[in-house]
Amino acid sequence: MPVLARMSGIVKRFDDVVANDGVTVEFSAGEIHVLLGENGAGKTTLMNVLYGLSRPDEGNIELGGRPAEIHGPLHAMRLGVGMVHQHPLLVGRLTVAENLRLGGVGDGTADGLRAAVAEVTRVIPLDIDPARRVEDLPLSQRQRLELVRCLARGVRLLILDEPTAVLTPAEVERLFTELRSLTTQGRGVVLITHKLSEVAEVAQRVTVLRGGRSLGTTLAGERSLAELSDLMVGRQVPAVSHRGAGAVGTAPRLRLRGARVGDENGRCELDDVTLEVHPGEIVCVVGVEGNGQRALADVCFGRRPVAAGSVELDGAILPPVGEWRRRGVRLGRVPEDRRHEGLVLDAPLWRNLLLGPMAPPSRFLLHRRRALRRARRLLTEYEVRPADPHALAAALSGGNQQKVVLARELSGEPGAVVAVNPTRGLDVGAQHDVHLRLARLRDDGVALLVISTDLDETLALADRIAVLYRGRLAGPYPADEAGRDLLGRLMAGLGPGESEPPGAGVSAVAA
Ligand SMILES: Nc1ncnc2c1ncn2[C@@H]1O[C@H](COP(=O)(O)OP(=O)(O)OP(=O)(O)O)[C@@H](O)[C@H]1O
Ligand SMILES: [Mg+2]
């Protein structure tokens, strides 16, 4: 198969960080090429270079055997290279259709756009109303929109940066089927993932990056998953389940009673949800993104009121977040969108570690030395790289940004924690560390509610599991009684025993 892209000796520096340190790699037509590496290894940076988002300091790129200078993403797409981002690069205030047009899909007319999208969506269903504003879409649908945009532009090499983090097992299957069919059409796919099982499932070749360097490319079957994991992280990561003793017979710490939330169009996002989380247990709410997770997180985060029912912490109605500090509410919040809700990207890490109602009081800010010392301690403890309190949050890799949010929210001695996809984007080593940390909090008597789109994470972590589908909750079930099959079916909106119809779940928007 012909080589679609060849990158030679790519060096990319950010100030004193060498994100890519002489990487040479090639991607061919007809293959799914998995790019592996721990958080901060340089995967996104390397692909941003290929997509024209950033200029390499050294090195060359060849596309289709010819030297290429790539001036920007639109140029890259014209040259046949498209990318679906870890954090989709779309204009939130514009609609789906406007974003597609902006991405160069169609001939500029409404009809042309419709025709181009219709062509692609025969293969990859979009199932999103083109008039919806992008900022109202869950991440999985934003990713999907980027995917459709790339394919409608007819790219030959498609780069996907952690696309499966927010999909159900069935959706991942469907995406992989779609990707395989692209490779049989002579296109190539580069897939960045932290899930090693996906290597075995789809990859023809694997390249491992570590510390900005390539450790080489191998055929997927040549190394075992354990070898790849060790290679990637540089240490052995045990596969363990962290399940603990379960709820102790005490009063619930966090409690939702008949909670209902509607959006401005009168659609019901959360429908009569009742759930109790006791001290010393982890309750996971699993579901396909877009089924009410955001509303559930919002009411627990004190960001939105319930239209009916109640949310209680330690027996009292949870006040709006603005009053938490004054009223001494100690609830850790790990939001879904760390870049916009969890961090101030253009502020240094030490300041980011002082955000939120559980942070030390504002006079702490005056004691800059103390704040810096605290930041250094937290960054080291949570293995944030770089562990430099002066680094800007924007300069961290996706996984390291997540660690900063966790460091802040879990270190404030919370009585309860509500976390949305807490290990999304973390490498296997970091995932393991976070799971251990959450389990330790549980063992210390904290009540944890984990809202996750990741079934593997749910099964590894939960004492009890509930499934959210179209705003309604099924369960919770004790973790030992809820198997992968049952949960998968409930996540797709099926009763126990039914099999899944094609296309279900992909665009499950709370009706
Ligand atoms: N804009 C930037 N400014 C400064 N440093 C940056 C910038 N972008 C990336 N870096 C640094 O470059 C290194 C590689 O980051 P990159 O985002 O490529 O990692 P990654 O392999 O994609 O990690 P993850 O799995 O966490 O997404 C990291 O040390 C990161 O902090
Ligand atoms: Mg990345």
Side-chain angles (χ1 to χ4, degrees), residues 14 17 19 38-45 86 162 194 395-399 425:
F14 296 102
V17 176
E38 61 184 332
N39 294 130
K43 306 176 295 292
T44 300
T45 303
Q86 199 170 6
E162 293 184 45
H194 287 298
L396 263 55
S397 76

Side-chain angles (χ1 to χ4, degrees), residues 12 14-15 17-20 37-46 86-87 161-162 192 194 209 385-386 394-401 425-427:
K12 178 69 194 177
F14 296 102
D15 304 321
V17 176
V18 188
N20 291 153
E38 61 184 332
N39 294 130
K43 306 176 295 292
T44 300
T45 303
L46 188 69
Q86 199 170 6
H87 311 286
D161 197 349
E162 293 184 45
I192 298 178
H194 287 298
L209 293 186
R385 263 163 274 163
L396 263 55
S397 76
N400 280 295
Q401 289 175 341
L426 297 188
D427 64 51

Side-chain angles (χ1 to χ4, degrees), residues 193-209:
T193 181
H194 287 298
K195 296 185 180 168
L196 286 169
S197 59
E198 295 178 355
V199 175
E201 210 183 326
V202 290
Q204 272 83 51
R205 291 198 296 168
V206 186
T207 297
V208 180
L209 293 186

